[in-house]
Amino acid sequence: MPTVFMSYPRASDRGGKISGLREAIEEEIRLLTGDEEFSIFQDVQLGLGESWQRRLATELQQASFLLPIVQPMFFTNEACRAELTAFLERERALGRDDLILPIYYIDCEDFGPQAEDPLVRAVAGRRYADCRDIRHASEEKQRAAAVSIARRMVDAFRRVSRPARPAAPVAGPVAGATGAAPVAEAAPSGGSQPAPEQLDALMRLLSSMFSIEEFSRFLRFDSETNAIVSLLPVGAVSPQQLFSQAVIALAQHALIDARFFERLIGERPKRAGEIRRLQGMLLAGAETTGDAEPRRSFG
């Protein structure tokens, strides 16, 4: 089973409500998976005399998922910010965007994709579990929220064993908890995929060549890459987020091929040298003309 690290400001757990929510989620995940040993790491599990800094660093490094308990103090707490930053970097290195599973616990001012704080934007752009109404709710309602969160987490555990897929982030509650619409999924990937650092190089090249509007038109102009547009983030998103999602989608659907690079050169002939060098890196061993491999269906 994947491992989970719960990130939260410890001062907010007076009365043990966050700990209780964690325990209820753990219990439900054990029932859903049959893994009686499953646990979510919380700093209250530190042993007497144990070096808390070393243990937290080790648990964070080994964790498969981050479970942030989102509240105002989360974004003002130095340790929480460091944990979130570390996981965002890990996601980028792995070419994923689904390893952070936020629980929105207390209202945060300016919590949205247009927030000034980049860490607030990063969390607000995820599908989060909206639990703002459970702190003072009945035990039955708290239990129902824990069951909903546990089911979503189990779905995430199953995803982690598959290759990363593009997903359009939804700035809202997770489906099932409040009825949010599900994120569109891409067709399963197959065959060899470019390494994360290669995709990152392509993302940086594209973002230096096009504005968001220009690149959207570039994708729409071709009948095959046009289908990628529906997988991209909508609304107020940063150029980096849009180009990153676009590159992941193109890779997952085997659309980064010789034809794609020829189209880029046609759009930006003055940068043909850069484009050719990146093409050689990404398509090493593939044909330099025609499709590098069969196209994936969006059906």
Side-chain angles (χ1 to χ4, degrees), residues 6-19 42-47 52 56 69 71 73-74 77 79-80 83:
M6 190 172 79
S7 179
Y8 73 110
R10 192 165 190 178
S12 66
D13 194 31
R14 292 190 179 94
K17 289 191 175 182
I18 291 177
S19 296
Q42 184 182 356
D43 59 6
V44 296
Q45 297 161 352
L46 294 171
W52 65 270
L56 288 178
I69 309 300
Q71 52 192 293
M73 280 196 293
F74 180 89
N77 183 280
C80 292
E83 290 158 6

Side-chain angles (χ1 to χ4, degrees), residues 29-250:
I29 290 177
R30 290 170 188 153
L31 292 173
L32 292 172
T33 64
D35 184 352
E36 297 181 9
E37 303 300 320
F38 174 79
S39 65
I40 297 169
F41 178 78
Q42 184 182 356
D43 59 6
V44 296
Q45 297 161 352
L46 294 171
L48 182 64
E50 190 172 6
S51 170
W52 65 270
Q53 289 181 318
R54 182 181 302 170
R55 174 72 183 280
L56 288 178
T58 299
E59 293 289 343
L60 183 64
Q61 185 177 26
Q62 294 177 349
S64 308
F65 291 91
L66 185 73
L67 188 70
I69 309 300
V70 180
Q71 52 192 293
M73 280 196 293
F74 180 89
F75 295 108
T76 59
N77 183 280
E78 184 178 346
C80 292
R81 293 181 67 86
E83 290 158 6
L84 176 58
T85 299
F87 248 81
L88 288 168
E89 289 298 322
R90 181 179 303 179
E91 282 190 325
R92 182 180 179 184
L94 295 174
R96 303 198 71 97
D97 62 355
D98 54 358
L99 303 181
I100 297 172
L101 314 174
I103 295 177
Y104 195 5
Y105 193 63
I106 302 176
D107 270 317
C108 298
E109 186 177 359
D110 298 327
F111 184 72
Q114 295 179 318
E116 292 184 7
D117 188 334
L119 293 184
V120 174
R121 293 199 303 270
V123 176
R126 305 298 176 109
R127 299 184 70 181
Y128 53 78
D130 193 342
C131 294
R132 287 174 290 175
D133 61 346
I134 71 167
R135 280 196 305 141
H136 305 296
S138 65
E139 184 176 341
E140 181 180 358
K141 188 167 185 178
Q142 293 182 36
R143 176 65 187 175
V147 168
S148 178
I149 294 168
R151 289 173 179 169
R152 289 290 161 184
M153 288 178 65
V154 170
D155 287 342
F157 297 165
R158 291 167 180 160
R159 278 201 314 269
V160 81
S161 62
R162 302 197 296 266
R165 59 169 176 78
V170 176
V174 293
T178 61
V183 170
E185 296 193 11
S189 64
S192 61
Q193 294 290 324
E197 60 269 20
Q198 294 175 326
L199 296 181
D200 184 62
L202 178 58
M203 184 272 290
R204 285 186 275 108
L205 177 65
L206 292 174
S207 63
S208 71
M209 290 169 51
F210 298 100
S211 67
I212 289 178
E213 294 76 15
E214 289 171 337
F215 189 59
S216 295
R217 286 196 296 270
F218 172 81
L219 292 176
R220 289 191 180 96
F221 187 75
D222 185 82
S223 60
E224 292 175 319
T225 57
N226 179 51
I228 292 293
V229 177
S230 66
L231 301 175
L232 300 183
V234 296
V237 296
S238 68
Q240 181 179 3
Q241 184 179 13
L242 183 134
F243 282 104
S244 177
Q245 290 289 332
V247 167
I248 293 173
L250 289 165

